[in-house]
Amino acid sequence: MRCGELAFAYSMLAAGGILIAQTQTTYTGANITGQLTLVRTVDVSQAASRTATTLLASRPARLFEQHNAGNPEYAEDPPRLLNRFRPPLFQEGLDTPPWRSLAITTQPRREIGTVTGLPVNANTTAFGFSGLTHADQRLANGGNQFNVEPPNPSIAVANGYILQGVNNAIQVYTTSGSPILPKVLSTNELFGVPAAINRTTGVNGVFPTDMRVFHDQTINRWFVLQRAQDYDQFGNTLPSSRMYLAVSQTPNPAGVYNIYSIETTDAERPGCPCVADYPQIGADQHGFYISTGEYNVFSEYFINAQIHAVSKVSLAAGAATPTTYRFTLPFTTGYEFSIQPATTPPGAQFFAGNNGIEYLVSSFARAGEDSNLAIYAIHNTGSLATANPSLTLTQLIVPVISYTAPDVASQRPGALPYGSTFSPPGSLAFLDGGDQRVQALSYAGGRLYTSLATQLIDETGRRVVGGAFVILSPTFRNGLLAAPVLRQGYFAVKNNHLLRSGIAVNAQGRGVIAATLVGPDYYPSAVYLPLDLMTGPASVQLVGFGAGPQDGFTGYPGGFGAGVARWGDYTTAFVSADGAVWSTAEYIPNAVRTERANWGTYITRFVP
Amino acid sequence: MTSRHIYNGLLLLTRRLPVCFSFIVLLAAVPRADAGFIGAYSFDNFNLFNTNANGFASLNLDGSLAITGGNDGSGIPGMTDFSLIAPTSGIVSFNYAYASLDFPGYDFAGYFADNFTFLANSDGGSGSATFLATVGQQFSFRVSTLDNTGEPGVLTISNFNGPSATGGDVPEPSTMLSLALGLAVLAARRRRADRR
C-alpha cells in the first residue's frame, strides 16, 4: 500500500475508529484428539478412471433431451433439496410465518439507506471458463447421485492446479481450464463411502453436502470437506451425523488422499442428536479450522456453534488421529453463529505472536438487522503441534456498518423448459437471497477483510440484495483484543441483485468480491468486484454471462418454498501464489442440462 | 578559532579586497550543503531495509520523504530503515514529523548514525534534528514497530540538508542572501572605520 493509500486509511480510521471500552468474552475448549480419525486412503485419479471405464448398471440421469413423460422406467427419484438451516432468529418468533414459505418476502426489514448502484461492465477479456454443472454432478459415479440444489461451489488454486468442488462432486483443472480427472468424481467416491443412492437397487447411502475445498500453503496440501447427515437405506433420517475431511498426501490434487471422519452427533448434549451444518474453513500457520453450527437432526433447531482446530502438522504427517481441539459456543450474545475463520493469502504473514493467533468473524443472528460484528481470536494455536494443545478463544463485539437480512431476488424472465412440464406450468421463481451471515474472511497485511449480504435501497428506491464489506485492523495485546474499522461500505447494482458475495484479497490487500448478479436485467451471471483498501468496489465485472433463468426443482412446488429457488449457498474466492484472485460463482450457463436443474458454475481469474 | 577571530579576519578581507571580489571569495570559502533529497542525497540513492517488517518509503510532492513502518500482521517486532552511505563528512540536518494511529508505545521513529536516536513514538511529534556524518558512514531514518499490527507509523523528513559531496554545488538562495547581507554589514563598518 503506497503513501496515498495509507493517508486514506488514516482518514478512515480517524473517522470511524473511536475506541470505547468494550467487553470481551473468553472461552476455553477441549482436546478431542482421537475423535477425528483416518479411515482410509483414496487415489483420486484411479477412482475417476474406474468411473470412466466402468458402466454401472443403473438408470442414468435423464437429460432434458431424453425427456419421456409418462414412462415410469425413466421416472426420477425425488431430488435432494439441501435445506438452508436458518439463523436462530427464525426460531425465536421474530418472524411469524413458517420459514419455508414465501412469507419470507414479507419479513419486515429496516431500510438502511440508499446506495448508488455500481456500473456493470461486460468483461469479455477476463480469463474464465465454465466449471462444474448440475449435469456433471448428477451424472458422476455412474449416475448414482441425487439431483442437488444448490451447488455450494468452492475453489482452491495452487501449483498450477484448480480444485473445484460442488455438492457432491469434484474436478481438478489446469490453470488454463483443462480438466485433469478423466471424469468428474463424486465425493462419495472421494471419501470411499456408498453412493448417495444406488439407482439400480434404490438403496440410499451417504449424502455428503456443504462443499468446501482448500489448499494450504504451509504444508502444501489439498483439502476437501463435507458434512453428512446419516440416513437409512430407505432415506429416513437417522439420529447421527459426521464430517468427512480428505487431505492430499502430496501437493498433487489428483493424487492420493487421506480420508478422515469425525462423528458430529454430540448425542449427550441437550438439544441433540445434531448435525454440524454449514462448515466454514480457515487456517493459520498451525491449524486448520472448521466452524459449524449444531442443529438438531430432526427439528433443525439451532443449538450452538462449534469450532474445530486441527493440527496441520498432524494432517501433513498423515496421523491416524490428528491433534484436534474443539470450542463450543452457546448462543449467548446472538453472534455465536456461522463464525467464519480467516485465511491468509500466499505472501502475507500469519500472526506469529502469542504463539499463533487465528482470527474469526461473525454477524448477528438473533435479529434480522444489526450494526456490529463479533471478532474472535484463537490464541496459542502453536500448541496444536504438541500432545497437549491448550487454545483460548476471545470474543469481542465491535461496531460496524449496519446490515439487514436480505430478501429474495427477482429474475429476468426467460424460457423455463422444466417449469413448463408442470400442470399448471411453473412460473418464474425468485432466488433465495440468503441471510446476513459472514461469507468470507481474509487476513492480509495485519488487516481483516470480510463481506456479508444485506438488503439495500438503490438510487431509484427499489429494494435490492447487495452486500457490505468491512476492513478491520485487529490487535491482540496483553490479552486484549481490539479491531477498529479501517474502511467499510456497501455495494449494489441498480434494480438488480448481487447474491452470496465472498471476498478474498492477496498479500497486498488487493482482491475481489465475487458474487452472482441477477435481476430484471440479468440472467444469473457470475461477476466479481475488484477492490483494495484505497478503493472499495467501484465496478461490477460481468464474466460468466447467464443464458437463462434458474429453472430447477427447488423453484417449483415441493421445492424450497413456493416460488423461491435455492441459490448459492456461497461464492468462493481464493488467492494463488502469484497474487491473482480466482473465484467461482453459481450461474445459469448455456450448456447441456438435466431435467431437474440447470445450474452451472463459472471460474474466473483476476490479477489486481 | 573564536567567532571574534573569524570577524576580524573577514573585516581584514573586506579592507584588502573589493566587495564584489570579497563576495566571490567568501562564497568559495563557505562550506556547501545539499538541500533536499537531490544529488548525492537523492531518493534513489537511499536503500530500504526491512527487518521483520513490510515498510516502505516514498517521496511526497513537496519534496519531503515519508518512511512508513511495518504492519505485516505478524505480531512480532520489526523495523524499517531507509539508509544512505554518507558521501562526505559534515552536518546533516532535517525537520521531522511523526504520526501513527496505533496505541501509544507500539511504534516509534528515529534515526540511526553511530547509534539510534529516538525522535517520536506513536503519540506523534515533530521537530528538528542534526547529526555529524562521517564520509562512508551509513545513516538511516528508522520506523520501528513492536508487533507489526494496529497500523504503521509514518515518519516524514523535510528541510533536509546534507554536506555537499562536490565543490560545484551552489548554495541555496537563502544562504546566498545571508552571505550578501553579512558582507554588506561588514563593508559598511569598514567604510565607517576608514572615515574615522
Side-chain angles (χ1 to χ4, degrees):
Chain A
M1 187 173 69
R2 298 294 98 181
C3 183
E5 298 171 346
L6 187 61
F8 182 84
Y10 277 158
S11 67
M12 294 305 298
L13 184 56
I18 297 174
L19 296 176
I20 58 176
Q22 297 168 302
T23 302
Q24 61 182 37
T25 306
T26 300
Y27 298 87
T28 55
N31 182 357
I32 63 165
T33 300
Q35 293 191 24
L36 180 69
T37 60
L38 177 65
V39 293
R40 64 184 65 86
T41 61
V42 173
D43 187 315
V44 163
S45 290
Q46 288 185 7
S49 298
R50 284 195 296 271
T51 304
T53 58
T54 304
L55 296 177
L56 299 178
S58 61
R59 290 178 291 183
R62 182 172 53 181
L63 299 180
F64 213 87
E65 294 73 22
Q66 301 167 355
H67 175 79
N68 189 354
N71 186 336
E73 189 172 356
Y74 288 93
E76 286 282 341
D77 291 314
R80 184 58 59 91
L81 161 67
L82 294 179
N83 291 339
R84 178 162 67 83
F85 286 73
R86 293 303 186 99
L89 73 96
F90 291 96
Q91 300 169 185
E92 299 191 356
L94 296 177
D95 73 315
T96 50
W99 63 268
R100 279 197 177 199
S101 75
L102 187 59
I104 61 176
T105 62
T106 66
Q107 292 300 310
R109 286 179 174 79
R110 183 172 66 88
E111 318 298 5
I112 61 172
T114 300
V115 178
T116 301
L118 297 174
V120 178
N121 302 323
N123 190 333
T124 57
T125 60
F127 172 76
F129 60 95
S130 187
L132 292 169
T133 65
H134 174 260
D136 292 327
Q137 173 265 313
R138 176 63 182 84
L139 297 175
N141 200 10
N144 295 298
Q145 297 262 82
F146 285 106
N147 289 286
V148 175
E149 285 196 309
N152 292 12
S154 187
I155 191 175
V157 183
N159 307 331
Y161 298 106
I162 302 170
L163 172 63
Q164 187 194 25
V166 297
N167 294 324
N168 310 327
I170 63 167
Q171 174 59 282
V172 180
Y173 304 90
T174 67
T175 49
S176 58
S178 301
I180 291 177
L181 298 178
K183 284 282 189 179
V184 172
L185 198 68
S186 79
T187 47
N188 295 73
E189 297 169 284
L190 168 65
F191 298 136
V193 297
I197 180 167
N198 186 312
R199 292 285 181 178
T200 302
T201 64
V203 171
N204 281 251
V206 176
F207 183 52
T209 186
D210 289 353
M211 166 63 70
R212 296 288 185 183
V213 302
F214 185 69
H215 174 268
D216 187 87
Q217 55 179 306
T218 306
I219 59 174
N220 203 2
R221 296 289 188 270
W222 300 84
F223 294 68
V224 182
L225 173 74
Q226 283 191 292
R227 59 97 170 167
Q229 169 63 53
D230 292 339
Y231 300 94
D232 66 14
Q233 62 175 331
F234 305 107
N236 299 310
T237 302
L238 294 174
S240 58
S241 67
R242 63 202 64 249
M243 280 195 295
Y244 293 96
L245 173 64
V247 182
S248 68
Q249 291 185 350
T250 71
N252 180 5
V256 181
Y257 282 75
N258 293 327
I259 309 302
Y260 295 91
S261 175
I262 180 170
E263 183 168 340
T264 53
T265 307
D266 207 7
E268 297 180 355
R269 185 176 304 283
C272 292
C274 288
V275 60
D277 181 60
Y278 201 88
Q280 292 167 277
I281 61 175
D284 69 353
Q285 72 271 42
H286 301 298
F288 178 69
Y289 303 90
I290 306 169
S291 168
T292 56
E294 280 197 312
Y295 284 82
N296 182 280
V297 301
F298 298 111
S299 69
E300 299 178 357
Y301 197 90
F302 179 74
I303 306 301
N304 53 34
Q306 287 190 325
I307 303 169
H308 292 81
V310 186
S311 163
K312 292 203 299 189
V313 170
S314 295
L315 292 175
T321 54
T323 304
T324 308
Y325 200 87
R326 181 170 63 202
F327 294 96
T328 299
L329 281 70
F331 194 59
T332 307
T333 66
Y335 293 90
E336 299 80 8
F337 176 78
S338 282
I339 304 172
Q340 175 66 55
T343 58
T344 298
Q349 292 291 326
F350 295 105
F351 193 102
N354 292 89
N355 196 28
I357 284 183
E358 167 69 6
Y359 286 109
L360 309 91
V361 172
S362 67
S363 57
F364 196 52
R366 181 158 276 156
E369 57 191 59
D370 197 51
S371 57
N372 297 283
L373 290 178
I375 316 299
Y376 306 81
I378 301 177
H379 32 110
N380 199 29
T381 60
S383 67
L384 285 170
T386 69
N388 297 297
S390 177
L391 290 70
T392 306
L393 184 147
T394 299
Q395 177 201 51
L396 179 72
I397 312 299
V398 299
V400 298
I401 203 170
S402 296
Y403 55 88
T404 185
D407 206 335
V408 297
S410 51
Q411 291 196 83
R412 175 182 170 186
L416 302 172
Y418 180 52
S420 64
T421 65
F422 290 89
S423 182
S427 55
L428 183 69
F430 291 96
L431 298 186
D432 174 25
D435 51 51
Q436 73 273 31
R437 70 185 79 189
V438 170
Q439 291 283 341
L441 183 66
S442 289
Y443 182 66
R447 298 167 182 124
L448 289 170
Y449 299 76
T450 191
S451 62
L452 64 163
T454 181
Q455 191 75 3
L456 296 168
I457 303 296
D458 71 11
E459 61 266 45
T460 66
R462 292 188 178 88
R463 297 166 64 191
V464 297
V465 179
F469 72 96
V470 180
I471 305 173
L472 302 146
S473 182
T475 60
F476 190 79
R477 297 160 168 166
N478 302 315
L480 293 178
L481 177 61
V485 173
L486 267 184
R487 184 182 173 90
Q488 57 189 355
Y490 299 113
F491 49 91
V493 173
K494 185 176 74 173
N495 197 35
N496 291 276
H497 313 278
L498 289 168
L499 304 184
R500 313 295 181 157
S501 51
I503 193 171
V505 300
N506 61 18
Q508 289 72 44
R510 299 188 177 92
V512 305
I513 297 171
T516 296
L517 172 65
V518 64
D521 304 319
Y522 301 96
Y523 295 127
S525 304
V527 300
Y528 65 79
L529 290 67
L531 89 161
D532 62 22
L533 178 62
M534 181 66 173
T535 57
S539 69
V540 177
Q541 301 297 313
L542 200 167
V543 290
F545 295 79
Q550 191 274 355
D551 178 44
F553 65 92
T554 60
Y556 299 118
F560 178 57
V564 179
R566 288 284 270 119
W567 195 263
D569 283 316
Y570 33 81
T571 297
T572 306
F574 191 89
V575 181
S576 53
D578 60 356
V581 186
W582 297 76
S583 60
T584 184
E586 184 182 4
Y587 81 128
I588 304 299
N590 179 17
V592 171
R593 59 167 293 176
T594 60
E595 178 187 18
R596 301 281 181 125
N598 65 339
W599 59 256
T601 60
Y602 194 80
I603 297 172
T604 189
R605 177 175 184 259
F606 171 69
V607 181
Chain B
M1 180 182 290
T2 66
S3 57
R4 182 66 184 175
H5 288 126
I6 294 171
Y7 175 78
N8 288 339
L10 288 173
L11 193 60
L12 181 64
L13 205 57
T14 55
R15 283 175 176 167
R16 298 293 175 90
L17 297 171
V19 173
C20 60
F21 186 64
S22 300
F23 178 72
I24 295 170
V25 169
L26 283 172
L27 281 177
V30 172
R32 294 177 187 166
D34 279 346
F37 294 100
I38 58 173
Y41 301 93
S42 70
F43 179 86
D44 293 337
N45 286 342
F46 281 77
N47 290 293
L48 180 72
F49 296 99
N50 272 305
T51 306
N52 295 329
N54 62 345
F56 56 91
S58 56
L59 209 56
N60 295 324
L61 291 176
D62 62 1
S64 62
L65 170 70
I67 301 107
T68 302
N71 194 75
D72 65 9
S74 63
I76 60 177
M79 59 188 178
T80 300
D81 285 283
F82 200 52
S83 299
L84 182 74
I85 303 296
T88 188
S89 298
I91 299 296
V92 173
S93 66
F94 56 89
N95 293 343
Y96 69 89
Y98 186 67
S100 173
L101 285 174
D102 205 346
F103 289 101
Y106 283 94
D107 53 62
F108 53 94
Y111 65 91
F112 189 92
D114 289 325
N115 44 44
F116 179 75
T117 300
F118 171 88
L119 290 177
N121 63 22
S122 42
D123 284 336
S126 61
S128 60
T130 62
F131 63 89
L132 179 64
T134 305
V135 61
Q137 173 196 41
Q138 178 169 303
F139 69 88
S140 64
F141 299 105
R142 174 178 291 176
V143 179
S144 295
T145 172
L146 287 192
D147 64 3
N148 268 286
T149 64
E151 298 309 299
V154 181
L155 175 66
T156 303
I157 304 298
S158 60
N159 218 17
F160 175 87
N161 282 274
S164 175
T166 67
D169 297 316
V170 178
E172 60 181 322
S174 59
T175 306
M176 295 174 65
L177 179 61
S178 300
L179 283 171
L181 286 174
L183 285 169
V185 168
L186 287 173
R189 289 185 175 181
R190 168 187 147 186
R191 286 193 292 274
R192 283 199 298 270
D194 288 344
R195 281 196 294 273
R196 285 195 296 269

